[in-house]
Amino acid sequence: MNDFTVEALFRQMDIAFRDPRTQEKALGKINKTKQGSTPFSEFLSQFDRLLLEAQGWGWPDSIRRAI
C-alpha cells in the first residue's frame, strides 16, 4: 500500500530541514524587533512571521502586546 500524501511529504521535509532552534531564534528576534523606518505593513508582516515561528499563535493578547 502506498502511503504517499502531500501532508506526509511536508512532514518529512520539516523533519529533514527544520532548524531545531527556530522557536528560540524567533523569540530573540521578536524581543529585538523595532519598526524604525520600515513601513508598518512590512513590519507587521515580519512580526507575524516571527510570531508564527515562535509558536506564539496561542499566546494571550496581553502577552503579545507586551512583546
Side-chain angles (χ1 to χ4, degrees):
M1 180 172 183
N2 188 352
D3 291 334
F4 178 78
T5 64
V6 172
E7 291 82 16
L9 172 65
F10 282 118
R11 276 195 305 273
Q12 287 297 319
M13 289 175 59
D14 193 37
I15 290 168
F17 299 108
R18 178 184 54 207
D19 181 353
R21 294 185 46 224
T22 298
Q23 183 179 10
E24 181 182 335
K25 289 177 182 179
L27 284 170
K29 288 179 185 176
I30 285 173
N31 287 324
K32 295 177 186 176
T33 297
K34 294 189 183 345
Q35 182 180 353
S37 62
T38 306
F40 182 72
S41 60
E42 186 178 328
F43 172 76
L44 186 59
S45 176
Q46 292 171 355
F47 184 81
D48 284 344
R49 181 185 49 79
L50 288 172
L51 195 60
L52 288 172
E53 288 177 6
Q55 298 180 4
W57 57 85
W59 296 347
D61 286 341
S62 58
I63 299 296
R64 286 192 265 185
R65 284 187 208 113
I67 296 175

